[in-house]
Amino acid sequence: MAMSGVKLTEGCMNTYQDIQKSKKHRYAVFVIREGQIDVETVGNRTNVYSDFLSDLHQKDGEAEDCRYGLYDYEYQFNPDGAESTFKSKIFLMSWCPDSSKIKKKMLYSSSFDTLKRAFVGVHKVIQANDKSECEQGCVEEILRSTDRN
């Protein structure tokens, strides 16, 4: 349980297993409602990164809203002196835009540890407060930084 007292639903763990082990989904977006982190949206394997961003970037009235996103990212890896291969890395993103309500930002920030501890095997954790930090190129750069040539 997080400092905020927010718990994870069983659906979150099932969805994580579906993405990590079964490769059933491309991504999932999670929301905090009624004191629990729950699955809001699941993306098919055929969905692309822009679909993920549109599901992640939600509004709460006029203000932007916070979300958590989990994405199974695939890219081509070209190691020095070897054939190129495709790699897959799962990242967990906390999306708390600067323009969202302060109480929401505090709740999502203090509850993020719950997801990080529960989702064992995530390759990278990304904290994003601006849409530029969510862009595909920025995220791919972060994921590639852990590759060995």
Side-chain angles (χ1 to χ4, degrees):
M1 190 161 68
M3 292 184 337
S4 62
V6 173
K7 295 184 176 103
L8 217 60
T9 63
E10 195 175 313
C12 288
M13 287 310 297
N14 293 339
T15 301
Y16 176 66
Q17 297 298 328
D18 286 346
I19 291 172
Q20 188 202 31
K21 290 190 168 67
S22 311
K23 302 282 186 194
K24 282 185 187 171
H25 313 296
R26 172 68 57 209
Y27 66 85
V29 174
F30 306 94
V31 65
I32 297 176
R33 64 167 79 100
E34 298 169 16
Q36 293 186 317
I37 300 173
D38 201 4
V39 180
E40 183 180 50
T41 313
V42 175
N44 295 323
R45 290 301 292 179
T46 56
N47 284 30
V48 292
Y49 196 78
S50 58
D51 298 324
F52 169 68
L53 289 181
S54 65
D55 286 338
L56 189 70
H57 298 159
Q58 297 295 317
K59 295 264 188 199
D60 178 13
E62 290 299 307
E64 293 192 68
D65 207 359
C66 302
R67 292 289 187 276
Y68 301 121
L70 184 74
Y71 195 98
D72 185 6
Y73 193 84
E74 293 177 343
Y75 61 97
Q76 193 167 351
F77 177 59
N78 302 313
D80 293 341
E83 276 188 47
S84 63
T85 59
F86 280 95
K87 276 194 158 191
S88 172
K89 289 186 180 176
I90 295 174
F91 70 83
L92 178 62
M93 180 180 284
S94 173
W95 166 243
C96 289
D98 292 330
S99 60
S100 59
K101 296 176 181 168
I102 190 77
K103 279 188 173 182
K104 281 263 177 100
K105 287 195 280 192
M106 289 171 64
L107 178 63
Y108 274 77
S109 295
S110 61
S111 305
F112 194 39
D113 255 9
T114 303
L115 274 181
K116 288 194 285 191
R117 280 196 304 274
F119 293 170
V120 177
V122 166
H123 293 100
K124 205 71 181 161
V125 173
I126 300 169
Q127 177 81 40
N129 303 92
D130 185 78
K131 287 190 177 180
S132 67
E133 296 169 321
C134 297
E135 287 175 358
Q136 188 169 0
C138 184
V139 169
E140 187 169 322
E141 190 176 312
I142 292 167
L143 295 176
R144 285 182 184 275
S145 70
T146 61
D147 288 341
R148 290 189 205 111
N149 277 334

Short mmCIF file of all heavy atoms in Angstrom, two decimals, residues 55-102:
data_model
loop_
_atom_site.label_atom_id
_atom_site.label_comp_id
_atom_site.label_asym_id
_atom_site.label_seq_id
_atom_site.Cartn_x
_atom_site.Cartn_y
_atom_site.Cartn_z
N ASP A 55 -5.01 7.85 -25.15
CA ASP A 55 -5.67 7.26 -23.98
C ASP A 55 -5.07 7.79 -22.67
O ASP A 55 -5.76 7.89 -21.66
CB ASP A 55 -5.56 5.73 -24.01
CG ASP A 55 -6.48 5.10 -25.04
OD1 ASP A 55 -7.47 5.74 -25.44
OD2 ASP A 55 -6.19 3.96 -25.45
N LEU A 56 -3.79 8.12 -22.69
CA LEU A 56 -3.09 8.61 -21.51
C LEU A 56 -3.46 10.06 -21.19
O LEU A 56 -3.67 10.42 -20.04
CB LEU A 56 -1.58 8.49 -21.72
CG LEU A 56 -0.67 8.76 -20.54
CD1 LEU A 56 -0.79 7.64 -19.50
CD2 LEU A 56 0.78 8.87 -20.99
N HIS A 57 -3.56 10.89 -22.22
CA HIS A 57 -3.80 12.33 -22.05
C HIS A 57 -5.29 12.62 -21.96
O HIS A 57 -5.92 13.00 -22.93
CB HIS A 57 -3.17 13.13 -23.20
CG HIS A 57 -1.69 12.98 -23.26
ND1 HIS A 57 -0.97 13.22 -24.40
CD2 HIS A 57 -0.77 12.61 -22.34
CE1 HIS A 57 0.32 13.01 -24.18
NE2 HIS A 57 0.46 12.63 -22.92
N GLN A 58 -5.83 12.46 -20.77
CA GLN A 58 -7.26 12.70 -20.53
C GLN A 58 -7.46 14.06 -19.85
O GLN A 58 -6.53 14.63 -19.31
CB GLN A 58 -7.84 11.59 -19.65
CG GLN A 58 -7.78 10.21 -20.27
CD GLN A 58 -8.65 10.08 -21.49
OE1 GLN A 58 -9.79 10.55 -21.52
NE2 GLN A 58 -8.13 9.45 -22.53
N LYS A 59 -8.69 14.53 -19.87
CA LYS A 59 -9.05 15.81 -19.24
C LYS A 59 -9.95 15.56 -18.04
O LYS A 59 -10.74 14.62 -18.01
CB LYS A 59 -9.79 16.71 -20.23
CG LYS A 59 -8.97 17.15 -21.41
CD LYS A 59 -8.39 18.50 -21.16
CE LYS A 59 -7.72 19.04 -22.42
NZ LYS A 59 -6.79 20.09 -22.15
N ASP A 60 -9.81 16.42 -17.05
CA ASP A 60 -10.71 16.45 -15.90
C ASP A 60 -11.36 17.82 -15.94
O ASP A 60 -10.83 18.78 -15.41
CB ASP A 60 -9.90 16.26 -14.60
CG ASP A 60 -10.78 16.32 -13.37
OD1 ASP A 60 -12.02 16.26 -13.51
OD2 ASP A 60 -10.23 16.44 -12.26
N GLY A 61 -12.50 17.91 -16.63
CA GLY A 61 -13.10 19.20 -16.89
C GLY A 61 -12.21 19.97 -17.84
O GLY A 61 -11.90 19.51 -18.93
N GLU A 62 -11.75 21.14 -17.41
CA GLU A 62 -10.87 21.97 -18.24
C GLU A 62 -9.40 21.60 -18.07
O GLU A 62 -8.59 21.79 -18.95
CB GLU A 62 -11.06 23.46 -17.90
CG GLU A 62 -12.40 24.02 -18.35
CD GLU A 62 -12.58 23.94 -19.86
OE1 GLU A 62 -11.71 24.42 -20.61
OE2 GLU A 62 -13.59 23.37 -20.30
N ALA A 63 -9.06 21.06 -16.90
CA ALA A 63 -7.66 20.74 -16.60
C ALA A 63 -7.28 19.38 -17.16
O ALA A 63 -8.12 18.49 -17.29
CB ALA A 63 -7.43 20.77 -15.10
N GLU A 64 -5.98 19.21 -17.44
CA GLU A 64 -5.49 17.90 -17.86
C GLU A 64 -5.49 16.99 -16.64
O GLU A 64 -5.32 17.45 -15.51
CB GLU A 64 -4.08 18.02 -18.45
CG GLU A 64 -4.08 18.78 -19.76
CD GLU A 64 -2.76 18.66 -20.48
OE1 GLU A 64 -2.45 17.55 -20.94
OE2 GLU A 64 -2.06 19.67 -20.57
N ASP A 65 -5.67 15.70 -16.86
CA ASP A 65 -5.76 14.75 -15.77
C ASP A 65 -4.54 13.85 -15.72
O ASP A 65 -3.87 13.63 -16.72
CB ASP A 65 -7.04 13.91 -15.93
CG ASP A 65 -7.57 13.40 -14.61
OD1 ASP A 65 -6.96 13.68 -13.56
OD2 ASP A 65 -8.61 12.71 -14.62
N CYS A 66 -4.27 13.30 -14.55
CA CYS A 66 -3.15 12.39 -14.35
C CYS A 66 -3.55 10.96 -14.70
O CYS A 66 -4.72 10.58 -14.55
CB CYS A 66 -2.68 12.44 -12.90
SG CYS A 66 -2.20 14.07 -12.32
N ARG A 67 -2.57 10.15 -15.11
CA ARG A 67 -2.77 8.74 -15.39
C ARG A 67 -1.44 8.02 -15.22
O ARG A 67 -0.38 8.63 -15.19
CB ARG A 67 -3.23 8.50 -16.84
CG ARG A 67 -4.62 8.99 -17.20
CD ARG A 67 -5.70 8.15 -16.55
NE ARG A 67 -7.03 8.49 -17.00
CZ ARG A 67 -7.78 9.47 -16.51
NH1 ARG A 67 -7.32 10.23 -15.55
NH2 ARG A 67 -8.99 9.69 -16.96
N TYR A 68 -1.53 6.68 -15.16
CA TYR A 68 -0.34 5.84 -15.25
C TYR A 68 -0.48 5.05 -16.55
O TYR A 68 -1.58 4.65 -16.92
CB TYR A 68 -0.27 4.83 -14.10
CG TYR A 68 -0.24 5.44 -12.72
CD1 TYR A 68 -1.23 5.13 -11.79
CD2 TYR A 68 0.78 6.30 -12.34
CE1 TYR A 68 -1.20 5.67 -10.52
CE2 TYR A 68 0.80 6.85 -11.07
CZ TYR A 68 -0.19 6.53 -10.16
OH TYR A 68 -0.16 7.06 -8.90
N GLY A 69 0.64 4.82 -17.22
CA GLY A 69 0.63 4.05 -18.45
C GLY A 69 1.68 2.96 -18.42
O GLY A 69 2.78 3.15 -17.89
N LEU A 70 1.35 1.81 -18.96
CA LEU A 70 2.28 0.69 -19.09
C LEU A 70 2.31 0.33 -20.56
O LEU A 70 1.25 0.14 -21.17
CB LEU A 70 1.78 -0.49 -18.25
CG LEU A 70 2.67 -1.72 -18.20
CD1 LEU A 70 3.89 -1.45 -17.31
CD2 LEU A 70 1.90 -2.90 -17.64
N TYR A 71 3.50 0.26 -21.16
CA TYR A 71 3.60 0.05 -22.61
C TYR A 71 4.68 -0.97 -22.92
O TYR A 71 5.79 -0.89 -22.39
CB TYR A 71 3.92 1.38 -23.30
CG TYR A 71 3.69 1.38 -24.79
CD1 TYR A 71 2.52 1.90 -25.32
CD2 TYR A 71 4.64 0.88 -25.68
CE1 TYR A 71 2.30 1.91 -26.69
CE2 TYR A 71 4.43 0.88 -27.04
CZ TYR A 71 3.25 1.41 -27.54
OH TYR A 71 3.03 1.41 -28.90
N ASP A 72 4.36 -1.91 -23.79
CA ASP A 72 5.32 -2.90 -24.29
C ASP A 72 5.88 -2.34 -25.59
O ASP A 72 5.26 -2.44 -26.65
CB ASP A 72 4.63 -4.24 -24.51
CG ASP A 72 5.60 -5.34 -24.90
OD1 ASP A 72 6.82 -5.11 -24.90
OD2 ASP A 72 5.13 -6.45 -25.22
N TYR A 73 7.06 -1.72 -25.50
CA TYR A 73 7.64 -0.99 -26.62
C TYR A 73 8.60 -1.86 -27.40
O TYR A 73 9.53 -2.44 -26.85
CB TYR A 73 8.37 0.26 -26.09
CG TYR A 73 8.73 1.25 -27.16
CD1 TYR A 73 7.80 2.18 -27.60
CD2 TYR A 73 9.99 1.24 -27.75
CE1 TYR A 73 8.12 3.09 -28.59
CE2 TYR A 73 10.32 2.15 -28.74
CZ TYR A 73 9.38 3.06 -29.16
OH TYR A 73 9.69 3.96 -30.14
N GLU A 74 8.40 -1.95 -28.71
CA GLU A 74 9.28 -2.73 -29.58
C GLU A 74 10.03 -1.79 -30.52
O GLU A 74 9.47 -0.83 -31.03
CB GLU A 74 8.46 -3.73 -30.40
CG GLU A 74 7.84 -4.82 -29.54
CD GLU A 74 6.96 -5.77 -30.33
OE1 GLU A 74 6.56 -5.43 -31.47
OE2 GLU A 74 6.66 -6.84 -29.80
N TYR A 75 11.31 -2.09 -30.70
CA TYR A 75 12.13 -1.27 -31.60
C TYR A 75 13.26 -2.12 -32.17
O TYR A 75 13.56 -3.20 -31.67
CB TYR A 75 12.70 -0.04 -30.89
CG TYR A 75 13.61 -0.36 -29.72
CD1 TYR A 75 14.99 -0.39 -29.87
CD2 TYR A 75 13.08 -0.64 -28.47
CE1 TYR A 75 15.82 -0.69 -28.81
CE2 TYR A 75 13.90 -0.93 -27.39
CZ TYR A 75 15.27 -0.95 -27.57
OH TYR A 75 16.09 -1.25 -26.51
N GLN A 76 13.88 -1.60 -33.25
CA GLN A 76 14.98 -2.31 -33.89
C GLN A 76 16.29 -1.91 -33.23
O GLN A 76 16.57 -0.73 -33.02
CB GLN A 76 15.02 -1.97 -35.38
CG GLN A 76 15.94 -2.89 -36.15
CD GLN A 76 15.74 -2.75 -37.65
OE1 GLN A 76 14.82 -2.09 -38.10
NE2 GLN A 76 16.60 -3.38 -38.42
N PHE A 77 17.08 -2.91 -32.87
CA PHE A 77 18.36 -2.71 -32.19
C PHE A 77 19.48 -3.12 -33.13
O PHE A 77 19.47 -4.21 -33.68
CB PHE A 77 18.38 -3.55 -30.91
CG PHE A 77 19.67 -3.50 -30.15
CD1 PHE A 77 20.18 -2.29 -29.69
CD2 PHE A 77 20.38 -4.66 -29.88
CE1 PHE A 77 21.36 -2.24 -28.97
CE2 PHE A 77 21.56 -4.63 -29.17
CZ PHE A 77 22.05 -3.41 -28.72
N ASN A 78 20.44 -2.21 -33.34
CA ASN A 78 21.57 -2.47 -34.24
C ASN A 78 22.88 -2.46 -33.46
O ASN A 78 23.59 -1.45 -33.43
CB ASN A 78 21.63 -1.40 -35.34
CG ASN A 78 20.36 -1.34 -36.14
OD1 ASN A 78 19.85 -2.34 -36.57
ND2 ASN A 78 19.84 -0.13 -36.32
N PRO A 79 23.25 -3.58 -32.84
CA PRO A 79 24.51 -3.61 -32.09
C PRO A 79 25.71 -3.55 -33.05
O PRO A 79 25.63 -3.98 -34.19
CB PRO A 79 24.47 -4.94 -31.35
CG PRO A 79 23.51 -5.79 -32.12
CD PRO A 79 22.55 -4.86 -32.79
N ASP A 80 26.81 -3.02 -32.54
CA ASP A 80 28.02 -2.91 -33.36
C ASP A 80 28.50 -4.28 -33.81
O ASP A 80 28.67 -5.18 -33.00
CB ASP A 80 29.14 -2.23 -32.55
CG ASP A 80 28.82 -0.77 -32.25
OD1 ASP A 80 27.96 -0.20 -32.95
OD2 ASP A 80 29.43 -0.22 -31.32
N GLY A 81 28.70 -4.45 -35.12
CA GLY A 81 29.25 -5.69 -35.67
C GLY A 81 28.33 -6.88 -35.61
O GLY A 81 28.78 -8.02 -35.71
N ALA A 82 27.04 -6.66 -35.43
CA ALA A 82 26.10 -7.79 -35.38
C ALA A 82 24.85 -7.43 -36.18
O ALA A 82 24.62 -6.27 -36.53
CB ALA A 82 25.72 -8.09 -33.94
N GLU A 83 24.06 -8.47 -36.46
CA GLU A 83 22.81 -8.24 -37.19
C GLU A 83 21.82 -7.50 -36.33
O GLU A 83 21.79 -7.66 -35.12
CB GLU A 83 22.20 -9.59 -37.60
CG GLU A 83 22.77 -10.15 -38.87
CD GLU A 83 21.99 -11.37 -39.32
OE1 GLU A 83 20.75 -11.31 -39.33
OE2 GLU A 83 22.63 -12.37 -39.64
N SER A 84 20.99 -6.69 -36.97
CA SER A 84 19.98 -5.97 -36.21
C SER A 84 18.88 -6.95 -35.75
O SER A 84 18.56 -7.92 -36.44
CB SER A 84 19.38 -4.85 -37.04
OG SER A 84 18.72 -5.37 -38.15
N THR A 85 18.36 -6.68 -34.59
CA THR A 85 17.30 -7.50 -34.01
C THR A 85 16.21 -6.59 -33.47
O THR A 85 16.41 -5.38 -33.31
CB THR A 85 17.83 -8.37 -32.85
OG1 THR A 85 18.35 -7.49 -31.84
CG2 THR A 85 18.89 -9.34 -33.29
N PHE A 86 15.06 -7.18 -33.19
CA PHE A 86 13.99 -6.41 -32.57
C PHE A 86 14.01 -6.66 -31.08
O PHE A 86 14.19 -7.80 -30.63
CB PHE A 86 12.63 -6.80 -33.16
CG PHE A 86 12.37 -6.13 -34.48
CD1 PHE A 86 12.66 -6.79 -35.67
CD2 PHE A 86 11.86 -4.85 -34.53
CE1 PHE A 86 12.44 -6.16 -36.89
CE2 PHE A 86 11.65 -4.21 -35.74
CZ PHE A 86 11.93 -4.88 -36.92
N LYS A 87 13.86 -5.59 -30.31
CA LYS A 87 13.84 -5.68 -28.86
C LYS A 87 12.48 -5.22 -28.36
O LYS A 87 11.81 -4.40 -28.99
CB LYS A 87 14.91 -4.78 -28.24
CG LYS A 87 16.27 -5.41 -28.18
CD LYS A 87 17.15 -4.60 -27.27
CE LYS A 87 18.28 -5.47 -26.79
NZ LYS A 87 19.05 -4.89 -25.74
N SER A 88 12.12 -5.73 -27.21
CA SER A 88 10.88 -5.33 -26.56
C SER A 88 11.20 -4.96 -25.12
O SER A 88 11.84 -5.74 -24.41
CB SER A 88 9.89 -6.49 -26.62
OG SER A 88 8.75 -6.20 -25.86
N LYS A 89 10.78 -3.78 -24.71
CA LYS A 89 10.97 -3.34 -23.33
C LYS A 89 9.67 -2.75 -22.81
O LYS A 89 9.00 -1.98 -23.51
CB LYS A 89 12.07 -2.28 -23.23
CG LYS A 89 13.45 -2.83 -23.46
CD LYS A 89 14.51 -1.78 -23.21
CE LYS A 89 15.89 -2.36 -23.45
NZ LYS A 89 16.94 -1.35 -23.31
N ILE A 90 9.35 -3.12 -21.60
CA ILE A 90 8.13 -2.59 -20.97
C ILE A 90 8.51 -1.41 -20.10
O ILE A 90 9.43 -1.50 -19.30
CB ILE A 90 7.44 -3.68 -20.13
CG1 ILE A 90 6.95 -4.81 -21.04
CG2 ILE A 90 6.29 -3.09 -19.33
CD1 ILE A 90 6.37 -6.00 -20.32
N PHE A 91 7.81 -0.28 -20.30
CA PHE A 91 8.05 0.86 -19.43
C PHE A 91 6.75 1.25 -18.72
O PHE A 91 5.66 1.01 -19.20
CB PHE A 91 8.66 2.05 -20.19
CG PHE A 91 7.75 2.74 -21.17
CD1 PHE A 91 6.85 3.72 -20.75
CD2 PHE A 91 7.81 2.44 -22.52
CE1 PHE A 91 6.03 4.37 -21.67
CE2 PHE A 91 6.99 3.08 -23.44
CZ PHE A 91 6.10 4.05 -23.01
N LEU A 92 6.93 1.83 -17.56
CA LEU A 92 5.83 2.33 -16.74
C LEU A 92 5.97 3.83 -16.67
O LEU A 92 7.04 4.34 -16.34
CB LEU A 92 5.90 1.71 -15.34
CG LEU A 92 4.85 2.14 -14.32
CD1 LEU A 92 3.45 1.75 -14.79
CD2 LEU A 92 5.15 1.51 -12.97
N MET A 93 4.90 4.54 -17.01
CA MET A 93 4.95 6.01 -17.03
C MET A 93 3.94 6.59 -16.06
O MET A 93 2.80 6.15 -16.00
CB MET A 93 4.66 6.51 -18.45
CG MET A 93 4.70 8.03 -18.58
SD MET A 93 4.34 8.57 -20.27
CE MET A 93 5.87 8.18 -21.09
N SER A 94 4.40 7.58 -15.32
CA SER A 94 3.50 8.38 -14.50
C SER A 94 3.29 9.70 -15.24
O SER A 94 4.24 10.46 -15.45
CB SER A 94 4.12 8.63 -13.13
OG SER A 94 3.32 9.54 -12.40
N TRP A 95 2.06 9.96 -15.64
CA TRP A 95 1.73 11.18 -16.37
C TRP A 95 1.00 12.13 -15.42
O TRP A 95 -0.15 11.89 -15.05
CB TRP A 95 0.87 10.84 -17.59
CG TRP A 95 0.20 12.00 -18.24
CD1 TRP A 95 -1.14 12.21 -18.34
CD2 TRP A 95 0.82 13.11 -18.91
NE1 TRP A 95 -1.39 13.38 -19.01
CE2 TRP A 95 -0.20 13.96 -19.37
CE3 TRP A 95 2.14 13.47 -19.14
CZ2 TRP A 95 0.05 15.13 -20.06
CZ3 TRP A 95 2.39 14.65 -19.82
CH2 TRP A 95 1.36 15.46 -20.29
N CYS A 96 1.70 13.15 -14.97
CA CYS A 96 1.12 14.17 -14.09
C CYS A 96 1.46 15.54 -14.68
O CYS A 96 2.47 16.16 -14.32
CB CYS A 96 1.69 14.07 -12.67
SG CYS A 96 1.11 12.64 -11.76
N PRO A 97 0.64 16.02 -15.61
CA PRO A 97 0.94 17.29 -16.27
C PRO A 97 0.92 18.46 -15.27
O PRO A 97 0.18 18.44 -14.29
CB PRO A 97 -0.16 17.43 -17.31
CG PRO A 97 -1.24 16.50 -16.89
CD PRO A 97 -0.62 15.43 -16.07
N ASP A 98 1.76 19.43 -15.54
CA ASP A 98 1.86 20.61 -14.67
C ASP A 98 0.51 21.32 -14.52
O ASP A 98 0.25 21.93 -13.50
CB ASP A 98 2.91 21.58 -15.21
CG ASP A 98 4.32 21.01 -15.11
OD1 ASP A 98 4.57 20.21 -14.18
OD2 ASP A 98 5.15 21.34 -15.97
N SER A 99 -0.32 21.23 -15.54
CA SER A 99 -1.60 21.94 -15.53
C SER A 99 -2.72 21.19 -14.81
O SER A 99 -3.83 21.70 -14.69
CB SER A 99 -2.03 22.24 -16.96
OG SER A 99 -2.19 21.03 -17.67
N SER A 100 -2.45 19.97 -14.32
CA SER A 100 -3.51 19.23 -13.62
C SER A 100 -3.68 19.77 -12.20
O SER A 100 -2.85 20.51 -11.68
CB SER A 100 -3.20 17.73 -13.61
OG SER A 100 -1.98 17.48 -12.97
N LYS A 101 -4.78 19.38 -11.59
CA LYS A 101 -5.12 19.87 -10.25
C LYS A 101 -4.10 19.37 -9.23
O LYS A 101 -3.67 18.22 -9.29
CB LYS A 101 -6.53 19.42 -9.87
CG LYS A 101 -7.58 20.04 -10.77
CD LYS A 101 -8.96 19.52 -10.46
CE LYS A 101 -9.97 20.16 -11.41
NZ LYS A 101 -11.27 19.51 -11.36
N ILE A 102 -3.74 20.23 -8.29
CA ILE A 102 -2.66 19.93 -7.34
C ILE A 102 -2.96 18.69 -6.49
O ILE A 102 -2.08 17.88 -6.24
CB ILE A 102 -2.34 21.17 -6.45
CG1 ILE A 102 -1.07 20.94 -5.63
CG2 ILE A 102 -3.49 21.53 -5.54
CD1 ILE A 102 0.19 21.07 -6.41
#
